């Protein structure tokens, strides 16, 4: 029985990333380049508006300019793509983030694809995704990169471990699976049609929860000593993992909040600064 699991503190990991970035932002600014992240919010989903506001505040604290583009919920795919193309052509914009999800009538994939690869700081384009699969992405998706950053910050081994990822979305489950595979984990990816999920999760030395269902991953599924990373963020600040039930079994776990979330934002800032540096 594990007495004292390691709580993987995302706030600490994020602060370290931001401390390193502060110096780079200053250097860039002295050279006349102010890193700029454009965030696009379509519609009035309150959760999405909160995420965009949090990202904008994080930029401001670090001296990164954030350009907020707010489009009405009736915006068409063509209208959204035109806005993205305008930002592609704006040399003062270094990164573009289209807040997901967009209203249902919009072709989200078409909109993501419109983002120019060198400004795709959230790794949402198919080209960015493919680069990630080959382990050569300039900007892997931020949440998967954050999960890897947490493991690395705490020196938790990946190579040779069996990683079970629950979720296969193009921005989270799939890219994090690829990243773990590229780091020589043995990876099992689960999804809504997976049978006997608990039995498979119980094989995981590393378990990544990316489901979008509150407290979905049960404590009795978790192998003794497993490392659990909860990417979930559901209403009421609840993750995808039943944290309290998992705690007695894990060797390490991310809480929600203050786990993967803050590192995701710090990673977005990092990618934006890197994109700005590449323009020099
Ligand atoms: P998503 O696109 O809705 O994907 C959810 C995935 O979970 C899908 O692959 C789905 O399988 C799978 N799933 C659903 N029900 C399942 C079940 N009963 N058993 C097994 N798998 C099941 O969600 P997402 O965008 O990847 O986000 C996942 C979670 O991460 C959400 O809580 C979201 O809020 C959070 N998130 C957090 C951050 C952050 O910064 N912390 C960033 C992005 C997302 P199918 O493919 O078969 O449908």
């Amino acid at each position: 029985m594990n007495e004292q699991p390691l709580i993987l503190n995302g706030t600490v990991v994020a602060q370290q990333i931001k401390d390193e970035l502060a110096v780079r932002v200053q250097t860039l600014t002295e050279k006349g380049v102010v890193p700029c992240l454009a965030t696009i919010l379509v519609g009035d989903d309150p959760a999405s508006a909160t995420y965009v506001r949090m990202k904008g505040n994080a930029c401001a604290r670090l001296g990164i300019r954030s350009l907020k583009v707010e489009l009405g919920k009736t915006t068409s795919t063509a209208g959204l793509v035109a806005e993205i193309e305008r930002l592609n052509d704006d040399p003062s914009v270094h990164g573009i983030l289209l807040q997901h999800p967009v209203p249902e009538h919009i072709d989200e994939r078409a909109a993501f694809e419109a983002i120019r690869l060198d400004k795709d700081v959230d790794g949402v384009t198919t080209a960015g995704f493919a680069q990630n699969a080959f382990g050569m992405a300039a900007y892997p998706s931020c949440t998967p990169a954050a999960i890897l950053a947490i493991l690395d910050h705490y020196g938790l081994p990946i190579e040779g471990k069996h990683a079970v990822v629950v979720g296969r979305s193009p921005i989270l489950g799939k890219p994090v699976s690829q990243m773990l595979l590229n780091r020589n984990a043995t990876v099992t990816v689960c999804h809504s049609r997976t049978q006997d999920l608990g039995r498979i999760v119980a094989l995981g030395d590393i378990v990544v929860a990316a489901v979008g269902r509150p407290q979905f991953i049960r404590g009795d599924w978790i192998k003794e000593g497993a490392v659990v990373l909860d990417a979930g963020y559901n209403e009421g600040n609840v993750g995808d993992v039943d944290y309290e039930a998992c705690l007695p079994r894990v060797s390490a776990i991310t809480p929600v909040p203050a786990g993967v979330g803050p590192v995701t934002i710090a990673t977005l800032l990092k990618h934006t600064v890197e994109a700005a540096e590449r323009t020099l």
Side-chain angles (χ1 to χ4, degrees):
M1 205 49 120
N2 184 29
E3 292 298 327
Q4 274 194 321
L6 176 63
I7 308 303
L8 305 171
N9 188 333
T11 310
V12 169
V13 181
Q15 194 55 53
Q16 186 178 328
I17 295 170
K18 287 187 279 188
D19 288 347
E20 286 164 10
L21 285 180
V23 182
R24 288 160 67 179
V25 171
Q26 196 184 342
T27 306
L28 276 166
T29 308
E30 282 163 9
K31 290 181 178 166
V33 176
V34 180
C36 173
L37 174 70
T39 55
I40 309 172
L41 177 65
V42 189
D44 49 15
D45 175 52
S48 294
T50 304
Y51 295 145
V52 167
R53 196 168 48 248
M54 282 162 65
K55 287 162 188 167
N57 291 343
C59 282
R61 281 195 289 272
L62 215 61
I64 296 173
R65 188 164 79 92
S66 72
L67 181 67
K68 287 193 188 116
V69 177
E70 292 178 5
L71 303 174
K73 62 180 173 203
T74 58
T75 302
S76 64
T77 302
L80 175 56
V81 166
E83 192 58 40
I84 292 168
E85 282 169 352
R86 187 182 67 75
L87 296 168
N88 282 339
D89 293 338
D90 182 343
S92 73
V93 171
H94 303 104
I96 300 172
L97 179 117
L98 171 60
Q99 185 62 45
H100 155 96
V102 293
E104 265 180 20
H105 68 275
I106 291 179
D107 181 346
E108 184 176 81
R109 182 44 39 203
F112 279 150
E113 289 310 312
I115 299 173
R116 219 170 66 192
L117 186 58
D118 59 323
K119 299 194 179 190
D120 179 20
V121 287
D122 200 18
V124 295
T125 60
T126 48
F129 181 90
Q131 286 187 343
N132 188 51
F134 281 88
M136 49 186 266
Y139 313 115
S141 294
C142 291
T143 305
I147 288 168
L148 274 282
I150 291 170
L151 289 169
D152 288 341
H153 177 95
Y154 285 97
L156 297 166
I158 299 172
E159 181 163 325
K161 300 295 177 189
H162 188 167
V164 176
V165 178
V166 188
R168 58 171 169 182
S169 72
I171 56 153
L172 184 41
K174 274 184 191 159
V176 80
S177 304
Q178 291 162 344
M179 292 170 91
L180 290 163
L181 184 61
N182 288 338
R183 293 281 298 271
N184 298 320
T186 301
V187 183
T188 302
V189 187
C190 305
H191 47 80
S192 65
R193 318 291 162 81
T194 297
Q195 292 179 7
D196 208 354
L197 181 64
R199 189 181 56 80
I200 296 173
V201 170
L203 298 172
D205 304 307
I206 298 171
V207 176
V208 177
V211 197
R213 291 175 175 235
Q215 300 185 323
F216 180 76
I217 304 293
R218 288 167 36 176
D220 59 359
W221 291 354
I222 300 295
K223 174 168 145 180
E224 288 285 337
V227 173
V228 174
L229 297 124
D230 186 354
Y233 197 73
N234 305 289
E235 215 178 309
N237 271 352
V238 180
D240 288 351
V241 169
D242 186 345
Y243 182 82
E244 292 300 332
C246 290
L247 216 45
R249 299 174 83 112
V250 299
S251 62
I253 187 166
T254 55
V256 175
V260 174
V263 189
T264 296
I265 293 182
T267 304
L268 178 67
L269 304 180
K270 178 166 166 259
H271 290 174
T272 303
V273 170
E274 285 169 358
E277 287 171 343
R278 288 199 170 101
T279 64
L280 286 178

